[in-house]
Structure formats: C-alpha cells, structure tokens
Amino acid sequence: MSQTIKTTFQLPIGPIHPALKEPVAFEFEIDGEQIIDVNVTLGHVHRAIEWAARKRNPIQVLYLAERICGICSYCHPMAFALAVERIADVEVPEHAQFLRVIHAEIERMCSHILWAGVAAHEIGFDSVLFLTWEIREKLLDLTEYLVGNRVTKAITMIGGVRRDITPEMYPKIKETLQYLKDSFEKLRRVYLEDKTFKMRTKGCGILTKEEALKLVAAGPTTRASGVKKDVRVDQSYFAYCDLDIDYMTPDILTGEVNGDVYDRIIVRLLEVKQSISLIEQCLEQMPPGPIVSEPKIAKLLAKLKKVDGEGIGRMEAPRGEVFHYVKLNANEYIYAWKVRAPTYNNIMPWIPMLKNQQIADIPIVAASTDPCMSCTNRIIMIEDKKTFILGKEELHQRSIQKTRRLHL
Amino acid sequence: MRFSMLPQVFVQMFKKPFTNKFPAKYTPSSTTKFVEKIQNGTVTIHPPVPIPEHFRGKIRYDKDKCIGCKLCIKVCPSEAIEFKEEEKKIKIFLARCTFCSQCNDICPVSCLSMSDDFLLADTDKYSKNLIVE
C-alpha cells in the first residue's frame, strides 16, 4: 500500500498584482496557511536612468535624480550633489547646510507618516489611513509654501540650495510643527495602544539583530531590530553634527527590542518626533549667509566641465541609507553614475521575515520595510528576449574576458 | 485604550470635511451651461484654493529681452527648449517641461519667469496653449 506524500503549494504573487503598489514578483511555497519558503524577483520597472544621465550635465542630472522616486524626491538629488561636491571640492555655506537639514527632515516626516497610513491600510484599518494622510497634507502644504511644489521640490543645487527660508517664513513652519506635535499624540495613541494594531503587528515579521546585520538591512528596518545604524550620526553630513541627534531604536520607548512590525512602527513614530525637534533646532541655530556657494550657474557648469575624478554621496533617506557613485572625466556630461537605494538592502530581510508567517500577513510584513521598487530597479539583462540574472561567478568570468579582449 | 481610534472616528463624523470643496456642490447636468451661468453671475461657486507665492507654473517668456545665448537649452533637464536659428530666439514645449525653473535661474537677462498658471491639460501636446515662444 502506497503512503500518502504531503507536498507544498507554489503561490506566485506579482509582478502585477492588485495587492502590490509596485511591480515585484514573489514566489511563495506554502503549506496550508503557512509560508515555508519565499523567493523575490526584481527588475520589472527598470528605466535606464543611469544610462540617460550619461547624456546630461550634472545640473540636468539633478532633476533626473529627483524623478527616481516620488517620495524620495529630495534625498536622491542631494546624494548626487554630495558626490559631485566631493569631486569638485565645492564648499557649501553654513546657512545652506541648515536649510538642507530642514528640507531633509520635512521629507522624512512626509514619508514616515505616509508609510504609517499605508501600513494601516494593509491591515484593513482604512480610517487610520485617512487620519494620517490628513496630517501629511499639512506637511505637503508646508513643502509647497517653502519650495513651490508639493512633491518635486527642485530645491537642490550643487553647492547649496535654490531657495532661502527667510524669518518671515518661520511663523508658518512653527505653526505646522505645532499642529504636528498635537497630532503626534493622536497618532501615538492609535498606533501603539490600539488593540487591533497590537494583534496584527506584535510578533509578526520578526527580523532578529543577527539577521539584520548579516543581510545589511538599512534605515528604520534595521534600527527596529536594535542595530544602531544611522548615517546622520555615523558619518555626519550637512549640519547634523551641530544638532542633538541620536539613534532611534524601539527600546527607548518600550525597553525591549523584538524586531517585529510593531517595533518598526515605534521607530518611525519616534523619528517623526525627532525630525520635529531637529527642525526646531535648525530654526534656532541657523546662521545668516548665502544659500549657494556659486550663484552663477554658468560659471559652476564651466567649473564642473574641467573636473576629473570620482566620488560618493551618502545620505540617510527616510527608508535608509542612499548611496550615489559619480565619475566625471573632464567632460561636459557625467561619465558614470550608480545609485543604490535603501530598498535594495531591505529586500533580502523579507525572506527571514516572511518565513513561517501566514498568507494574510504578507502585505503588512512586506510593507513594513517601506519598499520602493522604482528606486531599486537598476539593472536587468535582456538577451534573445529572455531576461536573466548574472551571478557572482559569471560576472567575474565576464570581467576576465573583457580584460583579455582589451589587451588584444 | 482597547480601540483608541473609535473616539476619533466619532469626532470626525461631526467635523467639517478636511478636503477642499469642489466648485459646485452637485454635478451640473450641463457643464457649459453652468460655466455660462457663472459668467453671468447667476451662480456662485466655491473659490479655488490660493496658489502659493513661489509656485512654478507655465513659463512666461519676454521675447524682446532675449539675447539668444542658449544657456537655458544647456541646463534644461528634459530638453524642452528649441532654438530658432533665423530669429535667434527660443521655443519652449510645455508638454516636455518639468517646471523646475532652472532656465529662469540661469537666464542672464531674466527674460524667463514662472507664472501661477497650472491648468495646462490638453489633448494635443503641440497645441498653441502648450508652446511658449
């Protein structure tokens, strides 16, 4: 008599799926409701931005970088500007350094509050989604008031920023910050004390500290697992060294680190509070001065045309560390540009997070790292209408082959 | 509290809507007639939300001031500006424009500026409304 063999099911989700906001393909191996294994495939929204940049000068690339992602429309051009400033030895005036911090923190708050709403939506708590987006709307109004547009800020310039924040603008900023402080208590009560949230997020999608370190997770995802990692503190840029800033880990509030979705909510809410205090500190300490080191853009372009060298720009984006590599070779256009967005690091932690979870927890666990696919998709290989992924061995082999080809 | 969102939901029921109001309370049966009525002054609408001071809208171009230096073409990130060789003047295609106002910044004679006109929807991307020259 033959024995019954128990098998698992394959459940593909994506690349296009109603539950996903952006294209990414999952392949789940499930046993009943439980996830046994998961595989993630990327590369569905590659737009050849880095290639397009090779036909543009550094000032044009600023606006191209702004369009990598809608939510990170400030940190991408800023990281690019940091890289170019490092190559060309451009010194940013002190006033501009503080302005850069203010804009970065406004973007961080926008992103975190937006994420909080999306997380609520993923567990089916849509009334909270509308509450958070109402708060975010005030922040977008402030952004529009300061830079002229709601999302694409066009504020970055190599060697500074493009628009000043004058003392006449302070009352509006302070009013919005006060509104945020009042709403923060509301948010805290809803997210951290509500039974529904606790039931769905506690003990769900756990990422241990060891796994977070091993998989090099970035941003709030890794800080929620207790890893003290933040570019603003570790390698201070802009005016962060003058401000009172520390790592935000969940044990500040609860005294323990679990690394679950609940802890990721805590970290992001704490960071919103931190951002409010950072902007207040900036408004107090900001010295007067010029907003850009070289106001004549034609002169700046002529200077960048002569520069030869390579540099990197690191910045703490709302989702984690964003990294830009730029190479200039004394030409009008940039020679090479490589972007590594934080989601790239936060994709692999999905696998330990999703294992042994239930199917219903997939959306909230996946959303808990705040993934941004349009930031991540940077390389895809297409040959004979088939896509394929290059492994480390094959890349090494190809590299050797190219060296040999060049020697001939 | 067990359900801390619940009081908030009840409060929300008696609050005014947070969103901006539509011009008309109910959808008019005929939009063209409705617009006519507004022009006659027989119907009042909710006023539009004020545009912020530094808003970047449709580009204004002062043709007489322009010296044809081509600097704006050099910095335009979306290649929306075309140079007219015979006239030594420029032509801006707003269908490609990203409204970054970089051309305004670099212009040595300040012949370009941003207006607060944002209603630029059109079915034809080469329509007269979308080309500044």
Side-chain angles (χ1 to χ4, degrees), chain A residues 56-57 60 63 67 125 127 131 134 137 144 147-149 152-154 157 162-163 186 189-190 193-195 297 301 332, chain B residues 1-5 8-9 12 15 18 52 54-56 71 73-79 98-102 105-106:
Chain A
R56 282 166 167 81
N57 63 39
Q60 288 173 312
Y63 302 99
R67 276 148 188 86
F125 208 159
S127 49
L131 177 74
E134 181 188 319
E137 198 58 36
E144 194 180 27
V147 305
N149 254 342
T152 41
K153 300 182 177 171
M157 181 44 61
R162 289 179 61 199
R163 285 180 184 204
K186 231 189 278 176
R189 238 183 298 135
V190 170
E193 287 172 16
D194 196 283
K195 197 186 168 194
I297 297 155
L301 268 178
E332 196 181 343
Chain B
M1 201 192 280
R2 269 168 74 92
F3 299 106
S4 42
M5 188 60 198
Q8 187 64 40
V9 172
Q12 215 72 32
K15 264 178 149 180
F18 182 79
H54 303 293
F55 183 77
R56 301 189 299 270
L71 276 174
I73 297 171
K74 215 170 176 181
V75 289
C76 181
S78 52
E79 290 159 19
T98 57
F99 304 97
C100 65
S101 90
Q102 189 66 63
D105 286 11
I106 202 166

Side-chain angles (χ1 to χ4, degrees), chain A residues 57-78:
Chain A
N57 63 39
I59 301 233
Q60 288 173 312
V61 175
L62 284 177
Y63 302 99
L64 191 65
E66 200 168 74
R67 276 148 188 86
I68 289 176
C69 167
I71 298 166
C72 313
S73 65
Y74 177 75
C75 56
H76 277 295
M78 242 344 155

Side-chain angles (χ1 to χ4, degrees), chain A residues 189-234:
Chain A
R189 238 183 298 135
V190 170
Y191 278 93
L192 303 182
E193 287 172 16
D194 196 283
K195 197 186 168 194
T196 320
F197 264 104
K198 278 189 177 170
M199 272 159 56
R200 284 302 305 273
T201 57
K202 272 206 163 175
C204 171
I206 292 175
L207 181 73
T208 58
K209 192 175 178 179
E210 289 74 42
E211 292 273 17
L213 282 169
K214 203 165 78 186
L215 298 168
V216 208
T221 310
T222 190
R223 286 196 286 278
S225 299
V227 182
K228 297 207 167 184
K229 192 160 93 174
D230 190 327
V231 190
R232 291 176 293 173
V233 190
D234 298 335

Side-chain angles (χ1 to χ4, degrees), chain A residues 383-395:
Chain A
E383 214 167 80
D384 304 330
K385 288 178 185 169
K386 274 183 185 169
T387 60
F388 62 91
I389 300 153
L390 291 177
K392 188 187 161 202
E393 269 308 303
E394 204 185 337
L395 272 175

Side-chain angles (χ1 to χ4, degrees), chain A residues 22 38 82 99 114 161 199 257 260 309-310 318 322 325 334 336-337 348 351 359 365 370 380 397 408:
Chain A
E22 287 176 288
V38 53
L82 278 172
L99 291 178
L114 180 142
V161 290
M199 272 159 56
V257 177
D260 52 8
E310 51 188 350
V322 61
Y325 165 84
I334 68 168
W337 179 36
M348 289 312 280
I351 293 165
I359 296 175
V365 172
D370 201 359
I380 190 159
Q397 282 302 322
L408 286 173

Side-chain angles (χ1 to χ4, degrees), chain A residues 100-155:
Chain A
R100 283 180 166 193
V101 172
I102 293 176
H103 289 299
E105 294 309 318
I106 289 175
E107 187 194 61
R108 190 179 318 280
M109 283 195 286
C110 272
S111 172
H112 282 353
I113 293 175
L114 180 142
W115 174 84
V118 171
H121 166 75
E122 298 288 10
I123 62 170
F125 208 159
D126 276 329
S127 49
V128 182
L129 167 82
F130 294 115
L131 177 74
T132 52
W133 283 43
E134 181 188 319
I135 296 164
R136 179 175 172 264
E137 198 58 36
K138 284 270 179 197
L139 269 169
L140 287 182
D141 283 349
L142 178 68
T143 314
E144 194 180 27
Y145 177 70
L146 294 178
V147 305
N149 254 342
R150 282 158 59 91
V151 177
T152 41
K153 300 182 177 171
I155 189 82

